Amino acid sequence: MSSNSIRQNFLLTTFCILLMSLPVRKSAHDVNKETLNFLNGHRNKSGATTKGCNNNNNHQLVTTPPCQKSTTIQAPTQPSSPLKQDSLVFSDQRLQVVYSVIQKFKSIITSDPLGVTKSWVGSDICSYKGFYCDTPPDNNSAIALASIDFNGFQLSASTLDGFIDKLPDIALFHANSNNFGGTISPQIANLPYLYELDVSNNHLSGPFPMAVLGMTNLTFLDLRFNSFSGAVPPGIFTQNLQVLFINNNIFTQGLPENLGNTHILLLTLANNKFMGPIPRSLPKALSTLTEVLLLNNQLTGCLPYEIGLLQVATVFDAGNNQLTGPLPFSLSCLEKVEFLNLGGNLLYGMVPEVVCAGLVNLVNFSLSDNYFTHVGPLCRLLIQRGVLDVSNNCIIDLPFQRSVVECAQFFATPRMCPFTWFHSLIPCKLPFQNSEVSSIP
């Protein structure tokens, strides 16, 4: 073979090798298909399936049906973040709807000390920390975001508007102990399944959220430890609520008369600026409550004798108000009460012996910072046992009392109670009595 032939064969072989080493260009369809297969393979390996796929995620509330037909969102041509470069596959279109709502809320969170929002990534919303999925009432084959529990997450955001009210299938929203501000959106009235709303211990303000009026499914409302102010609508007390916590706000008004018609099982009104007398109908309405908390308000007037109708209460606290008058004997009917606080008021007269004798379960009975002038032997036994506190009163022969001048100034202004004859009535049968209702002089 000639040298020229050898040279030509060598060049031809080299060209073929170079040609075979060049990468093959794939179509856009093939690239997208492989990317989707990779994402699905990665999701299956990690086990991060949605609740609709019957996974064993701890966030599940109930067993769920098989997955619904997936909904795919194609990423934009020029994505603004790595997440949007891939396609997102949702197990149900209801989850697709709330995805953008969650991501928008995430974008306004200014502080996340526990790193909660790091899990709010991807289409598997049911695995986000604080988010729980369930079957919606209107479609038992669908999967929806049904519950949110942010309790103790310490998240900070300027508002909850545009978040709670944009979750159409939400049934429970709990966000105790965060740093959320703003008000409650009126649009929550459009949430058909919401029956528990807890936004306590935040920085919410404004008037009472009127939108909750008429929400027939709402049974639990907790607004404690915020800065809501103004009046509480009377209709809320007769609504179909089982729990109403509105203590530690700045509500300013008298206790409405229709409060006596409430059937709320748990009610706290403490640490506000409620004014006026305790309605006589209130104790009867609250007769099923185990705790009655009226402390730290601006209540005035005399204690109604109907207070004795709270026969299942273990706690009655009306301390630090401006209540006046003598103690009604009916207090002796609070047979289950363990903590009774009437300190920090303008009460006066004698501490009834029948009260000290009848309250056999007492652990703490405070009448401090009032203007009582006399205690009998049975009440003195409670003082010796450390149960009864009568410090800073006007009882001459006991230590730690007010000065004579201070007591004289108080009694210089007459204070009268209406229906004074009721104060000696006892609306129950005490162990040492033979009649259902007795009168003790």
Side-chain angles (χ1 to χ4, degrees):
M1 181 178 295
S2 66
S3 61
N4 289 335
S5 298
I6 293 173
R7 185 179 297 108
Q8 290 176 359
N9 289 336
F10 175 78
L11 292 175
L12 181 61
T13 302
T14 303
F15 177 78
C16 290
I17 292 173
L18 291 174
L19 182 63
M20 292 175 65
S21 66
L22 292 176
V24 178
R25 180 179 179 86
K26 296 182 179 181
S27 68
H29 173 76
D30 292 333
V31 172
N32 288 339
K33 184 177 180 180
E34 286 189 8
T35 302
L36 184 58
N37 289 336
F38 169 77
L39 290 175
N40 289 334
H42 180 71
R43 183 178 294 108
N44 291 334
K45 290 178 182 179
S46 65
T49 55
T50 65
K51 185 180 176 187
C53 301
N54 290 326
N55 65 333
N56 293 321
N57 195 310
N58 291 332
H59 298 322
Q60 292 184 23
L61 297 182
V62 295
T63 304
T64 58
C67 294
Q68 302 300 303
K69 185 177 180 180
S70 298
T71 303
T72 303
I73 298 179
Q74 295 294 334
T77 305
Q78 295 180 343
S80 59
S81 67
L83 175 62
K84 294 182 181 179
Q85 290 176 0
D86 303 323
S87 297
L88 295 181
V89 181
F90 295 89
S91 61
D92 195 288
Q93 187 163 352
R94 294 179 186 237
L95 299 176
Q96 177 188 344
V97 169
V98 299
Y99 171 79
S100 59
V101 176
I102 297 171
Q103 298 305 317
K104 181 179 179 181
F105 178 63
K106 179 181 177 179
S107 70
I108 69 169
I109 292 178
T110 57
S111 178
D112 179 12
L114 303 181
V116 172
T117 59
K118 292 179 181 178
S119 69
W120 299 1
V121 177
S123 62
D124 190 6
I125 293 173
C126 302
S127 68
Y128 288 8
K129 188 171 183 180
F131 292 78
Y132 304 90
C133 297
D134 203 350
T135 305
D138 63 342
N139 187 346
N140 59 12
S141 64
I143 298 297
L145 176 61
S147 175
I148 289 179
D149 185 357
F150 290 167
N151 285 354
F153 282 2
Q154 303 175 42
L155 299 172
S156 298
S158 60
T159 183
L160 289 171
D161 286 1
F163 181 52
I164 307 177
D165 50 300
K166 298 299 183 182
L167 304 174
D169 300 301
I170 199 74
L172 293 88
F173 185 87
H174 288 201
N176 179 293
S177 301
N178 286 276
N179 296 293
F180 297 136
T183 59
I184 299 295
S185 170
Q187 301 302 316
I188 65 170
N190 298 324
L191 302 176
Y193 309 128
L194 186 65
Y195 70 91
E196 286 194 11
L197 177 61
D198 178 0
V199 291
S200 58
N201 199 18
N202 280 280
H203 302 294
L204 299 170
S205 59
F208 185 93
M210 300 293 290
V212 301
L213 291 176
M215 294 181 67
T216 56
N217 289 326
L218 192 66
T219 61
F220 183 103
L221 179 61
D222 191 348
L223 305 177
R224 292 175 293 173
F225 296 96
N226 280 288
S227 298
F228 292 109
S229 58
V232 178
I236 196 65
F237 297 109
T238 55
Q239 192 164 319
N240 189 32
L241 287 172
Q242 296 179 3
V243 175
L244 177 61
F245 294 152
I246 58 175
N247 54 287
N248 294 82
N249 281 283
I250 321 173
F251 293 122
T252 306
Q253 68 182 90
L255 295 178
E257 285 296 329
N258 75 331
L259 189 57
N261 299 323
T262 188
H263 51 268
I264 296 172
L265 300 179
L266 294 174
L267 173 67
T268 59
L269 306 174
N271 298 304
N272 279 283
K273 294 184 178 180
F274 288 111
M275 303 175 292
I278 298 176
R280 294 180 60 189
S281 59
L282 179 63
K284 184 176 181 180
L286 304 184
S287 60
T288 59
L289 293 189
T290 58
E291 296 187 7
V292 179
L293 304 177
L294 303 172
L295 70 154
N296 294 330
N297 278 285
Q298 298 175 4
L299 300 176
T300 57
C302 302
L303 283 170
Y305 95 96
E306 289 89 351
I307 213 76
L309 299 175
L310 300 170
Q311 296 180 16
V312 299
T314 58
V315 176
F316 181 80
D317 194 337
N320 295 328
N321 282 281
Q322 299 171 31
L323 299 169
T324 191
L327 287 184
F329 290 5
S330 62
L331 286 175
S332 59
C333 295
L334 305 180
E335 57 184 31
K336 294 185 178 181
V337 73
E338 300 174 5
F339 183 94
L340 178 58
N341 179 25
L342 295 171
N345 280 287
L346 305 174
L347 302 169
Y348 59 84
M350 62 171 287
V351 181
E353 286 280 88
V354 68
V355 173
C356 294
L359 301 181
V360 295
N361 291 312
L362 273 177
V363 176
N364 190 307
F365 182 15
S366 178
L367 296 175
S368 62
D369 297 288
N370 281 284
Y371 293 88
F372 291 105
T373 55
H374 179 74
V375 288
L378 294 177
C379 293
R380 288 174 185 262
L381 286 176
L382 294 183
I383 295 173
Q384 293 174 9
R385 289 165 47 195
V387 173
L388 175 58
D389 181 6
V390 291
S391 60
N392 208 33
N393 277 275
C394 299
I395 305 170
I396 297 176
D397 62 329
L398 291 181
F400 310 111
Q401 300 296 301
R402 297 181 186 273
S403 68
V404 174
V405 173
E406 190 176 1
C407 293
Q409 290 176 343
F410 174 81
F411 288 109
T413 302
R415 292 173 173 81
M416 300 296 295
C417 290
F419 312 108
T420 53
W421 56 89
F422 283 126
H423 277 71
S424 61
L425 292 179
I426 303 177
C428 67
K429 184 178 180 179
L430 298 175
F432 47 84
Q433 289 180 311
N434 293 324
S435 60
E436 291 291 333
V437 179
S438 298
S439 178
I440 298 179

